[in-house]
């Protein structure tokens, strides 16, 4: 079956961030050759505009997310799917995907 991950996100500038939850059902983590977390990034990042959040009516607390991952060097990567039960995406006030990272990357 599909591997689902509980996702914590601190990228407040991302339009999909709803109170540290991701309002998307799936995200993509980039960083084929990553050896440390800072070499990964969230490829699904979308800069929040002045309009505010993407219209999200539901609270997504503890909602599982389908995480596809290109960071082959990570111990949680199994055929480009994240097998970790829980991961964190970090980046605070990032303006672009490259300023985000999967803080749970582990070799």
């Amino acid at each position: 079956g599909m591997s689902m991950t509980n996702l914590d996100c601190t990228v407040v500038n991302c339009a999909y961030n709803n109170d540290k939850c991701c309002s998307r059902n799936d995200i993509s983590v980039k960083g084929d050759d990553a050896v440390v977390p800072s070499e990964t990034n969230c490829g699904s990042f979308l800069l929040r505009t002045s309009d505010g959040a993407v219209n999200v009516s539901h609270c997504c607390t503890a909602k599982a997310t389908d995480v596809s991952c290109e960071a082959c060097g990570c111990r949680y990567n199994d055929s480009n799917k994240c097998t970790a039960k829980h991961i964190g995406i970090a980046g605070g006030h990032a303006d672009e995907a490259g300023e985000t990272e999967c803080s749970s990357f582990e070799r």
Side-chain angles (χ1 to χ4, degrees):
M2 294 285 264
S3 146
M4 300 291 270
T5 301
N6 282 323
L7 180 68
D8 274 338
C9 179
T10 63
V11 188
V12 293
N13 270 9
C14 183
Y16 300 115
N17 187 316
N18 177 16
D19 195 25
K20 294 192 179 175
C21 284
C22 181
S23 60
R24 287 177 60 104
N25 292 323
D26 56 357
I27 67 162
S28 163
V29 174
K30 307 289 185 189
D32 316 35
D33 305 321
V35 290
V36 290
S38 61
E39 293 174 342
T40 66
N41 69 76
C42 181
S44 305
F45 174 86
L46 178 67
L47 184 60
R48 188 185 296 273
T49 61
S50 51
D51 307 349
V54 167
N55 188 17
V56 181
S57 54
H58 62 282
C59 174
C60 58
T61 310
K63 177 180 73 68
T65 306
D66 177 35
V67 181
S68 68
C69 179
E70 292 175 11
C72 307
C74 184
R75 67 170 62 215
Y76 301 117
N77 187 320
D78 180 18
S79 305
N80 285 2
K81 287 291 176 191
C82 180
T83 62
K85 291 273 177 272
H86 187 273
I87 67 167
I89 300 289
H93 294 275
D95 290 321
E96 55 187 34
E99 296 173 358
T100 66
E101 69 177 53
C102 178
S103 52
S104 306
F105 176 94
E106 215 175 295
R107 281 184 69 76

